[in-house]
Each structure stands twice: as structure tokens, then as C-alpha cells.
Amino acid sequence: KKLKPAEPGRNLNIFRKMLADGKTPDERQKFYYARELFDNGLYDAAVTAYTEFLNGDGWVENKICACRDLSACYRAKNMPKEALAALFKSFEFDSPRAETCCDLGFFYMQHAQYERAVFWYKLALNLKPDHTSGAFIYGDCYGFIPAIQLCVCYDKLGNSDAAEECNRRAGLLKP
């Protein structure tokens, strides 16, 4: 249990000092440095750091996560084309994860491309998490989120029967 609140930017400052001291971060440190930049709203620097990390020999699960975070950086910078490309880049490293599929579905929903969103949410709904991979798994991406988002998409497409079925399914997962 923490005794006091964390100092804002503490981890970022640790990384900056390490770099200023001329130390070369390993692949995992590069990933976490990029995440600290992202978490602190330093999107330009985060894009650079994520891109460098993705060009290295990092762990596959970190690379997939980096693609999702890189996409979020581009969304924050209002660069939708680059945000979409970053999500698709994750497929270079391994088969699709439901988390990425949900991100793609959300992207297409934001752009009122509901048929495309349906494709990605249906794929997410049919994927199974690999609990042996060591990756951070967001369980809701494998059930509730795609179901409830499909409900919205089908409603927008005028398919109330499919929307109702997806809402029922989401309700079974989270009553």
C-alpha cells in the first residue's frame, strides 16, 4: 500500500536521467520509456520512441501493445490515417488480438463506417485470449465490449433484431 501519492513524472525523470547519463536502454526499457512519454502527453516524443522500439528486437506482446499505444498517440494528434496504420502494423507481429480488433472497430465507429466496425467487433467476439502469452489481456475485449458496440453498430445500420441480440449477449456478460 502506498503511503503517499506518486511524484508526477517520476518514472519519466528516471528514464531521462538514464539517457542523459549516456546509458543505452534495453528493448523493454525503450518500450516503457515510450509508454511514460505517452502517459505524460508527450505525443511527438512518444511517436518517435515507439517507432524506434518497433524497429528493434522487442518482445512480440510489447510490440503489439506499442502499436496500439502508437495509434492512440496519432489519435491524440488528430492523425487518423497514421492511427489506423499503427493498428494494422500489429498484424506484422502476430495474429490479431481482440484488443486491437476493438480499437479498429472503435476507429470505424468514430468515422461512421459501421459495416467495417461490425467486421472488427465480430472478429473480436470470436477470438479467445491466450492466457499463456504473458500479455496484458483486457477481458472485456473478448466479450462485453464487442457485444455492446455491435449493438450500437447494428442500431445505426437499422438492424434492430441484431442490435437487440447483441444487447442481450452483452447483458449476459455484465447484467
Side-chain angles (χ1 to χ4, degrees):
K1 182 178 177 183
K2 290 185 179 184
L3 300 176
K4 60 182 181 175
E7 173 190 333
R10 175 184 173 272
N11 293 343
L12 185 56
N13 289 334
I14 291 169
F15 280 116
R16 285 181 170 158
K17 181 174 180 349
M18 181 180 84
L19 294 171
D21 290 345
K23 295 180 183 167
T24 303
D26 63 25
E27 292 301 311
R28 190 159 175 85
Q29 289 169 329
K30 287 178 186 177
F31 171 66
Y32 281 103
Y33 175 58
R35 289 191 95 176
E36 287 298 325
L37 292 166
F38 170 70
D39 289 343
N40 284 277
L42 302 169
Y43 302 119
D44 290 329
V47 165
T48 300
Y50 278 125
T51 302
E52 180 183 329
F53 169 73
L54 289 168
N55 289 327
D57 294 324
W59 182 40
V60 167
E61 297 301 337
N62 285 158
K63 286 191 171 212
I64 291 168
C65 187
C67 289
R68 294 183 64 229
D69 290 347
L70 180 58
S71 177
C73 288
Y74 284 129
R75 278 195 318 270
K77 292 168 52 73
N78 196 27
M79 299 173 70
K81 187 175 177 183
E82 292 81 357
L84 187 60
L87 292 172
F88 283 121
K89 184 168 183 58
S90 73
F91 301 156
E92 292 177 19
F93 304 111
D94 204 1
S95 57
R97 305 295 195 269
E99 294 85 355
T100 306
C101 293
C102 285
D103 288 348
L104 285 161
F106 182 72
F107 176 90
Y108 287 117
M109 280 183 74
Q110 285 186 309
H111 292 88
Q113 296 177 358
Y114 300 108
E115 291 91 356
R116 287 183 178 184
V118 164
F119 173 85
W120 291 106
Y121 284 125
K122 283 172 83 173
L123 180 57
L125 202 54
N126 288 303
L127 292 173
K128 303 289 182 238
D130 179 1
H131 294 288
T132 65
S133 72
F136 292 113
I137 294 173
Y138 301 95
D140 281 349
C141 290
Y142 293 84
F144 178 74
I145 291 172
I148 201 68
Q149 294 294 69
L150 280 167
C151 172
V152 174
C153 290
Y154 283 130
D155 180 67
K156 295 286 188 183
L157 292 168
N159 187 340
S160 58
D161 290 340
E164 190 173 318
E165 174 55 28
C166 290
N167 187 60
R168 184 194 66 72
R169 187 171 184 175
L172 291 173
L173 296 166
K174 291 200 175 195

